[in-house]
Amino acid sequence: MASNGLAAAVLLLLVHIGLLSSSCYADDPFVYFDFKVSYITASPLGVPQQVIAVNDEFPGPTINVTTNNNVVVNVRNKLDEGLLMHWSGIQQRRSSWQDGVLGTNCPIPPKWNWTYQFQVKDQIGSFFYFPSTYFQRASGGFGGFIINNRAIIPIPFATPYGDIVILIGDWYTRNHTALRKSLNGGKDLGMPNGVLINGKGPYQYNTTLVPDGIDYATIPVHPGKTYRIRVHNVGISTSLNFRIQNHNLLLAESEGSYTVQQNYTSLDIHVGQSFSFLVTMDQNASSDYYIVASARFVNESLWKRVTGVAILHYTNSKGKAVGPLPDGPQDEYDKTYSMNQARSIRWNVSASGARPNPQGSFRYGSINVTDVYLLRNAPPVTIDGKRRTTLSGVSFVNPSTPIRLADQYKVKGAYKLDFPEKPLTGPPKMETSVINGTYRGFMEVILQNNDTKVHSYHMSGYAFFVVGMDYGEWTENSRGTYNKWDGIARSTVQVFPGAWTAILISLDNVGVWNLRTENLDSWYLGQETYVRIVNPEENNKTELPIPDNALYCGALSHLQKPEDISSGVTITASISTVAVTVLTILCTLMSISR
Ligand SMILES: *[C@@H]1O[C@H](CO)[C@@H](O)[C@H](O)[C@H]1NC(C)=O
Ligand SMILES: *[C@@H]1O[C@H](CO)[C@@H](O)[C@H](O)[C@H]1NC(C)=O
Ligand SMILES: *[C@@H]1O[C@H](CO)[C@@H](O)[C@H](O)[C@H]1NC(C)=O
Ligand SMILES: *[C@@H]1O[C@H](CO)[C@@H](O)[C@H](O)[C@H]1NC(C)=O
Ligand SMILES: *[C@@H]1O[C@H](CO)[C@@H](O)[C@H](O)[C@H]1NC(C)=O
Ligand SMILES: *[C@@H]1O[C@H](CO)[C@@H](O)[C@H](O)[C@H]1NC(C)=O
Ligand SMILES: *[C@@H]1O[C@H](CO)[C@@H](O)[C@H](O)[C@H]1NC(C)=O
Ligand SMILES: *[C@@H]1O[C@H](CO)[C@@H](O)[C@H](O)[C@H]1NC(C)=O
Ligand SMILES: *[C@@H]1O[C@H](CO)[C@@H](O)[C@H](O)[C@H]1NC(C)=O
Ligand SMILES: *[C@@H]1O[C@H](CO)[C@@H](O)[C@H](O)[C@H]1NC(C)=O
Ligand SMILES: *[C@@H]1O[C@H](CO)[C@@H](O)[C@H](O)[C@H]1NC(C)=O
Ligand SMILES: *[C@@H]1O[C@H](CO)[C@@H](O)[C@H](O)[C@H]1NC(C)=O
C-alpha cells in the first residue's frame, strides 16, 4: 500500500515536471478553483426544494479570469449521480477533452473528484458554466464565467465602474429528478413556476401575484456611475425579455464579440444566450427600480407569475420601487419585432478582439463554403414507444463510449459518421449519428425550426457567424439576404418557430463538438448531434493529447482505475503539492534568468 503510494507520488512528480516544463515556456499564469457540487435546500419560490449549489452557493461563484490564463477547476461531485461541468461558450481550443458533455467525456461518478484544465484563448467576454448531465441545470449548478482582456488589448468603451453578473431563468419547484421523470414518462413539463434572478424569486411588486416572504435579489449601485451588466439566460426553455425600469441598456457585447453599441429599453434573451450591457445610473434615486425578466411569446394573463423581478438599489435611494412593472414589448404572438431586434445586433468590425488584430480583418463573407447542412427540428414524436425530439429526423442517443474517447482507442461502432446533410424523409430514428466535419472547411448550417416554440442552438468549441434569419422555409435564394459583413459571431442563436437561421462556421478547432438545442427538455430528448473534426495529418499541435486523468466508461470501463481515497492519495497529494511548489519556484527562477 505504502509503496504503491510512493510509486504514485513519483509518477505524479514526473507528470508535474512534464506539465511544468511545458508551462514554463507557455509563461501563461495558472488560476485554480475548487468546486464542491452538492445539494442544498433553498426556497427561491417559497417552497423548500433541493437545489444544486457550488461551494454551498446558489447560483455558483463567478469564474473571472483573463485571456490566456490556464484555468484549473477541481470539481468534487457530492451529488448522488454522475456529473459533467460544461463551460458554455468557452471554446476549449484544441481540447474537446475538457468540454464536459456526454458525447465527449465520461461523467464524473458520485463522490469523485475530477480536475478540468484548459487555457482560455482567443476570446474575451461573458459566458457561463452549468452541469450538462441528467437535467441537472434545472436544479442549478450554474454560474458566470468572465474572460477579461489582457491590459495590452483595448476595449471599445471606457472602463466601467463596476461589473455585475445577472443570471435569469425559468424555474420549477419540482427538482431535476422529478422533471426528468416526467419527460421519461412522455409528459410535457408544463408551465414553469417562476423566473429566478440570481437564484432568487420575485420582489413582491403585487401582493396577489407574489406571496409574502420571498427573498429577492438586490443589486446595489452608485449614482452617476456606468456598470457593465452581464446577463445570461440559464433557464430551461423560456425566452425572456430583460429590462430595467427607467434605464437604457447599451448593448456592448454578446458571447465574446463586441457589438455595434445601441440602446435598447428591453432585450429578448433566449435560453443559453449571454449579453453585456453598459448601464449608466442616471436616474434621480427618488426610488429603487425594478429589474424584470418576463416570459416571451406566451399568454401573458396566464403567465403573470412567471416573471422575475429584482431590485436596482441606488446607494442614495429614497424609497422602495413602486407601481406596476415597466412594460415589455406588447406583441404577444407576433415575433417580427423580436426578429428585427435580433437582426439589429451586429458586430463592431473595427473593435479589437482577443488577439491584437482587428476582428473585422477576418472577412467571413468572402470565404467559400465547403459543407452545407440543413438541420430541421420538429415537435416531439414517438419512436419505439418513447417520446423523443429530433434534428433532421434523427433523435440523438448518447454513446456509452464517448465519441472522442472511442476514436482515441479505436473502439468500433460507438457512433456513426452519417448525419444527413438534408433532413431525412423517412420515419424518425434513434441513432448516435454525427456530422463529419472537414478540418479547415467552412461550414454553412441552416437551422429550420418546425417546432411551435423558439429554440436556441449552441455549438461547443466555436463562435459562429450569424448571417441570416427569416420566416418561412429556407431556400437557395435565401442566401441573397445574408449579412456578409457584420453578422455577429457568437455561440448561441435563436431560431423562431416557422423560421430559419443561417450560421457559418470556420472549422479550425480539432475535436468532437456538441451542436444542440439549448432548450433543456428538447435537448434531453435527443435534439442534438456532434461535429467531428479531425486533422488528417496527425500531430500534437492541432489537438492536445488525452489528459492523464481521463475517465473511462462504456467499452473502455476496464481502463478506469478505482479512485484511491485511502491515505495513500493524501500523501501523494501533499508530495505533489510540494513538488508543484518547488517546481513553480524553479520555473519562475528560470523565466527570470531568461
Ligand atoms: C427530488 O424530488 C423528489 C420528489 O419530490 C424527491 O423524492 C427526491 O428526493 C428529490 N431529489 C433530490 C436530489 O433532492
Ligand atoms: C479532492 O479534492 C479535495 C479538495 O480539493 C482534495 O482535498 C482531495 O485530495 C481531492 N481528492 C482526490 C482523490 O483528488
Ligand atoms: C466600435 O469600436 C471602435 C473601436 O474601439 C469604437 O471606437 C467605436 O465607437 C465602436 N463603434 C460602435 C458603433 O460601437
Ligand atoms: C472580474 O475581475 C476584474 C479584474 O480583476 C474586475 O475588475 C471585475 O470587477 C471582476 N468582475 C466580477 C463580476 O467579479
Ligand atoms: C396585481 O395583480 C392582479 C392580477 O393580475 C391585478 O388584478 C391587480 O390589479 C394587481 N394589483 C396592483 C396593485 O397592481
Ligand atoms: C444611450 O442612452 C444614454 C442615456 O441613457 C445616452 O446617454 C447615450 O448617448 C445613448 N447612446 C447611444 C449610442 O444611443
Ligand atoms: C425624480 O424623477 C421622478 C420621475 O421622473 C420625478 O417625478 C421626481 O420629481 C424627481 N425627483 C427629483 C427630486 O428630482
Ligand atoms: C389567455 O388566457 C386567458 C385565460 O385563460 C384566456 O381567457 C385568453 O383567451 C387567452 N388568450 C389567448 C390569446 O389565447
Ligand atoms: C471561391 O470560389 C470561386 C469559384 O469557385 C473562386 O473563383 C474563388 O477564387 C474562391 N475564393 C476563395 C477565397 O477561395
Ligand atoms: C469524412 O470526411 C472526410 C473528408 O473530410 C472523408 O475523407 C471521409 O471519407 C468522410 N468519412 C465518412 C465516414 O464519410
Ligand atoms: C412544419 O412543417 C410543415 C410541413 O412542411 C408545415 O406545414 C408547417 O407549417 C411547419 N410548421 C412550422 C411551425 O414551421
Ligand atoms: C503526441 O504526444 C503523445 C504524448 O503526449 C505521444 O505519445 C505521441 O506520440 C505524440 N504524437 C505525435 C504524432 O507526435
Side-chain angles (χ1 to χ4, degrees):
M1 205 55 222
S3 68
N4 270 348
L6 197 64
V10 171
L11 195 74
L12 253 171
L13 193 86
L14 292 173
V15 168
H16 282 302
I17 292 171
L19 267 179
L20 281 159
S21 54
S22 54
S23 65
C24 268
Y25 296 103
D27 257 356
D28 294 316
F30 277 72
V31 281
Y32 297 90
F33 299 89
D34 195 24
F35 269 25
K36 182 188 74 172
V37 182
S38 66
Y39 296 118
I40 61 166
T41 303
S43 313
L45 294 175
V47 182
Q49 63 185 123
Q50 296 286 321
V51 304
I52 297 176
V54 177
N55 299 341
D56 299 318
E57 292 174 46
F58 169 71
T62 301
I63 290 188
N64 188 3
V65 298
T66 300
T67 330
N68 291 1
N69 281 177
N70 292 292
V71 179
V72 182
V73 193
N74 174 30
V75 173
R76 290 188 276 154
N77 181 5
K78 302 275 181 186
L79 306 180
D80 54 357
E81 55 190 13
L83 166 71
L84 282 172
M85 206 44 106
H86 174 63
W87 320 96
S88 186
I90 304 298
Q91 286 176 21
Q92 305 294 3
R93 304 300 299 178
R94 305 184 292 147
S95 190
S96 51
W97 300 114
Q98 307 291 334
D99 201 34
V101 284
L102 282 173
T104 44
N105 310 113
C106 300
I108 308 165
K111 315 276 183 293
W112 284 42
N113 281 13
W114 199 74
T115 304
Y116 288 86
Q117 182 177 323
F118 51 87
Q119 187 171 22
V120 289
K121 255 190 122 44
D122 299 339
Q123 53 180 162
I124 294 170
S126 314
F127 313 94
F128 68 98
Y129 63 84
F130 69 88
S132 73
T133 29
Y134 315 121
F135 222 70
Q136 287 152 0
R137 189 172 86 206
S139 284
F142 38 68
F145 196 131
I146 297 171
I147 306 179
N148 293 293
N149 55 304
R150 284 178 294 151
I152 57 157
I153 308 286
I155 54 174
F157 43 82
T159 305
Y161 178 79
D163 193 358
I164 296 168
V165 174
I166 297 186
L167 305 173
I168 59 177
D170 56 0
W171 189 260
Y172 291 84
T173 50
R174 285 175 287 160
N175 63 33
H176 72 284
T177 54
L179 295 171
R180 211 163 65 195
K181 216 167 149 189
S182 293
L183 290 173
N184 292 343
K187 291 197 209 68
D188 201 75
L189 298 182
M191 197 192 302
N193 300 97
V195 166
L196 304 192
I197 298 184
N198 285 350
K200 303 225 163 113
Y203 173 77
Q204 196 180 34
Y205 67 99
N206 176 314
T207 49
T208 317
L209 292 168
V210 182
D212 294 334
I214 303 271
D215 191 18
Y216 56 89
T218 301
I219 312 277
V221 291
H222 290 279
K225 303 292 186 197
T226 298
Y227 291 77
R228 179 174 186 167
I229 303 190
R230 305 172 193 256
V231 189
H232 311 269
N233 185 336
V234 298
I236 297 169
S237 68
T238 308
S239 296
L240 297 172
N241 180 266
F242 181 82
R243 52 197 185 272
I244 304 178
Q245 188 178 29
N246 288 10
H247 290 76
N248 267 336
L249 305 171
L250 183 65
L251 180 64
E253 179 249 345
S254 107
E255 292 153 28
S257 292
Y258 294 118
T259 63
V260 169
Q261 289 170 24
Q262 292 183 85
N263 276 322
Y264 294 86
T265 47
S266 74
L267 196 88
D268 288 341
I269 304 182
H270 304 275
V271 180
Q273 290 188 324
S274 303
F275 290 99
S276 281
F277 303 107
L278 301 174
V279 182
T280 303
M281 303 306 154
D282 54 7
Q283 296 301 299
N284 68 13
S286 53
S287 68
D288 288 345
Y289 298 92
Y290 296 123
I291 299 172
V292 183
S294 61
R296 282 295 263 144
F297 321 124
V298 294
N299 184 334
E300 278 167 30
S301 63
L302 287 173
W303 281 63
K304 274 218 160 78
R305 284 170 202 276
V306 190
T307 300
V309 185
I311 292 298
L312 184 75
H313 174 74
Y314 280 45
T315 48
N316 62 341
S317 169
K318 292 181 195 67
K320 287 184 175 355
V322 285
L325 300 180
D327 284 332
Q330 302 294 303
D331 60 344
E332 223 160 278
Y333 298 105
D334 175 9
K335 297 172 196 77
T336 320
Y337 172 86
S338 190
M339 186 183 279
N340 284 337
Q341 187 182 63
R343 286 176 177 144
S344 75
I345 298 168
R346 285 171 301 120
W347 206 12
N348 180 344
V349 291
S350 59
S352 50
R355 281 166 286 191
N357 60 310
Q359 292 178 334
S361 67
F362 187 68
R363 299 269 165 78
Y364 70 85
S366 57
I367 302 171
N368 287 335
V369 166
T370 55
D371 310 76
V372 182
Y373 279 83
L374 176 63
L375 307 183
R376 185 186 180 86
N377 71 3
V381 289
T382 303
I383 312 176
D384 302 341
K386 293 194 180 79
R387 186 167 177 271
R388 300 285 302 181
T389 55
T390 55
L391 207 47
S392 289
V394 183
S395 188
F396 189 82
V397 179
N398 274 308
S400 56
T401 313
I403 300 160
R404 187 62 198 84
L405 205 57
D407 279 353
Q408 181 80 15
Y409 287 88
K410 304 192 165 51
V411 174
K412 295 260 179 302
Y415 64 93
K416 290 181 180 166
L417 209 52
D418 66 349
F419 197 91
E421 285 174 15
K422 293 207 170 79
L424 297 178
T425 46
K429 57 179 189 179
M430 287 178 41
E431 289 273 1
T432 307
S433 179
V434 172
I435 292 179
N436 184 14
T438 312
Y439 176 56
R440 294 212 162 127
F442 199 57
M443 187 162 77
E444 178 185 19
V445 176
I446 300 110
L447 300 154
Q448 182 83 50
N449 185 353
N450 197 236
D451 199 353
T452 53
K453 57 182 187 185
V454 180
H455 278 266
S456 28
Y457 286 90
H458 175 90
M459 185 164 171
S460 289
Y462 289 91
F464 46 70
F465 300 95
V466 180
V467 294
M469 57 175 78
D470 208 349
Y471 284 102
E473 294 282 325
W474 180 90
T475 67
E476 304 264 328
N477 289 337
S478 307
R479 290 200 175 109
T481 68
Y482 283 6
N483 175 350
K484 296 209 155 187
W485 170 241
D486 60 358
I488 192 88
R490 64 184 313 170
S491 59
T492 311
V493 72
Q494 71 270 43
V495 192
F496 293 95
W500 55 267
T501 297
I503 59 175
L504 296 175
I505 315 161
S506 174
L507 300 182
D508 60 355
N509 194 13
V510 170
V512 177
W513 305 105
N514 194 205
L515 175 57
R516 60 170 183 266
T517 176
E518 275 292 6
N519 301 46
L520 198 56
D521 47 348
S522 303
W523 179 17
Y524 180 76
L525 295 175
Q527 203 179 119
E528 65 171 327
T529 182
Y530 285 78
V531 184
R532 176 180 177 269
I533 296 137
V534 176
N535 180 356
E537 180 196 321
E538 253 186 71
N539 62 37
N540 282 333
K541 295 194 192 94
T542 46
E543 193 183 20
L544 298 177
I546 181 169
D548 300 322
N549 61 349
L551 293 170
Y552 296 93
C553 54
L556 299 169
S557 309
H558 62 282
L559 296 177
Q560 183 62 51
K561 293 183 192 68
E563 189 182 46
D564 191 354
I565 48 163
S566 67
S567 57
V569 165
T570 325
I571 295 166
T572 313
S574 53
I575 292 177
S576 90
T577 310
V578 172
V580 169
T581 315
V582 168
L583 284 162
T584 308
I585 294 167
L586 276 176
C587 188
T588 313
L589 287 173
M590 273 166 64
S591 67
I592 291 170
S593 66
R594 268 210 308 270

